[in-house]
Every structure is written in C-alpha cells, then in structure tokens.
Amino acid sequence: MGNITINMGTMNGNIIQTDCAGNCGSGKEPENSKERCSQDKELQKYEFDIAVSYSSAEKKFVSRVVKILKKEGLRVFFAPDCEEEFMARNMISEFYGIYRYRSMFVAAFVSKSYVEGDITMNEASAAIIRENDEKRNCLIPIYMDDAKLPKLDPDINYIPVNGKNGSLTEIETADKIIRIVKGYVRGREK
C-alpha cells in the first residue's frame, strides 16, 4: 500500500493513476482510453440521473414512482425531499438550474393541471431548451391524461399512463424510466 501525505495527514491505501485529469468513473481505472474518461466525465457532470417535474395533483402517483427509482439506485431530484435545502431561496431559479443543467433527464408527469401551472411549464421549458442545446432527448414526457406539452414536438415519443389502451401502474412507469436512463448510460459507456 502507498501512503500520501495531505495537509499534515496521512492517507493509507492504493492509489490509482488515470490517463486523464480527475476521477474517471466510480474510482475504477478506465479501460485503456481517453475516450472512456471523457464519457465518464460526461455522465458525472450530472448531480441527478433524473429530475421529476409534476403538479401537486399527481403527487401520490409520482411519489410511488420516485420511491421505485431510488430503490433501483437512480439519483433522483424530487422537490419534497429537498424542502429544507431550498428554504428562503428563489425556487424558480433553483429548479431551472436543476432541470436545465444538473440532471441527466427530466421526467415530466404531464396532466391538465401541469400545463396550467407556471412553475411546471418553466421546468419543462428548461428541459426542452436543453434538448436543443445538447442535441439529445433529455425530456421524458409522461402523460397522465389527455393533456400534451404545447412546446414539445408532437412526434416525440412519450409514456402514456392513462389512455385508451389502459393504465400503467407506478411500477410499469418507473420501469420505463429506468430503461431509458440505464440505456443512455450503457450507450455512453460503449
């Protein structure tokens, strides 16, 4: 084992040197390529795998989906979990940063009350702007009823929770979100 002296203290353990600056991945050595490092850094730039946007009318359903996502190991931004953190702060500005920059994906649980809400539409708009900037799908529209996001291309695929073909459960909805996020991560790792 090697020892490193840092600020008058000693750290015991193995040191892994990578071929790029910073931490690549989860503390593991990269697989022989600088491209691998840049892909890991791309994924690490996000604080959250998914940020959840919803109207309060859908909170019960969404809360159950969030619980499943977290059990599957996803890093989820769910506003009720962070109420104290954002106390006495500009919520619109804070949430804009989360939905625009700090999350890999945004799951928008769209309903009639969602499209009527200023805050929820700001959250969706931040994700749509990001889609245009990053040239990738960042927004996962989840339609709770027949309401649609007015600023979204109608040809974009979405997850229909309630529709003519039946209803999805919270588990089925979470499973679809998980497959999208993990599929993207796997694609970036190749």
Side-chain angles (χ1 to χ4, degrees):
M1 267 197 252
N3 294 330
I4 296 179
T5 301
I6 301 174
N7 294 337
M8 306 291 283
T10 302
M11 176 184 286
N12 296 319
N14 294 328
I15 308 301
I16 296 174
Q17 184 172 354
T18 64
D19 61 353
C20 63
N23 182 9
C24 294
S26 58
K28 296 186 277 184
E29 193 169 346
E31 298 171 6
N32 303 327
S33 94
K34 290 189 180 198
E35 181 180 325
R36 172 73 181 167
C37 288
S38 66
Q39 289 171 347
D40 285 348
K41 285 181 186 176
E42 176 69 22
L43 295 175
Q44 286 181 356
K45 78 178 184 180
Y46 301 111
E47 184 177 341
F48 305 102
D49 296 317
I50 189 122
V52 177
S53 176
Y54 67 99
S55 76
S56 59
E58 273 52 78
K59 186 175 181 180
K60 187 175 180 181
F61 183 91
V62 173
S63 295
R64 291 180 188 145
V65 171
V66 166
K67 190 174 191 176
I68 296 164
L69 296 176
K70 287 180 177 182
K71 281 188 176 189
E72 287 296 317
L74 294 180
R75 298 169 300 153
V76 180
F77 172 77
F78 183 53
D81 294 344
C82 307
E83 288 177 356
E84 288 182 21
E85 179 182 340
F86 294 108
M87 194 69 67
R89 293 166 85 176
N90 181 336
M91 300 296 281
I92 293 174
S93 172
E94 293 288 339
F95 284 7
Y96 180 85
I98 291 167
Y99 294 104
R100 176 82 168 80
Y101 302 108
R102 294 169 48 195
S103 60
M104 191 181 324
F105 287 95
V106 174
F109 288 80
V110 180
S111 63
K112 289 177 181 138
S113 59
Y114 186 96
V115 297
E116 292 170 355
D118 291 335
I119 292 174
T120 51
M121 289 307 294
N122 283 336
E123 294 165 358
S125 294
I128 292 169
I129 290 168
R130 190 161 133 226
E131 281 194 353
N132 295 330
D133 288 350
E134 293 185 14
K135 307 290 188 256
R136 74 172 184 90
N137 293 332
C138 304
L139 179 67
I140 303 170
I142 302 161
Y143 290 144
M144 302 298 290
D145 53 33
D146 59 354
K148 305 283 186 241
L149 279 174
K151 298 177 182 182
L152 192 62
D153 181 343
D155 292 333
I156 297 287
N157 285 332
Y158 59 89
I159 299 172
V161 172
N162 294 307
K164 60 185 174 187
N165 296 326
S167 297
L168 293 179
T169 65
E170 293 88 338
I171 294 170
E172 293 166 324
T173 303
D175 183 57
K176 289 179 181 291
I177 295 168
I178 291 163
R179 286 188 294 167
I180 291 168
V181 173
K182 290 188 176 181
Y184 176 75
V185 169
R186 275 192 306 273
R188 298 293 299 168
E189 290 175 343
K190 290 182 180 179

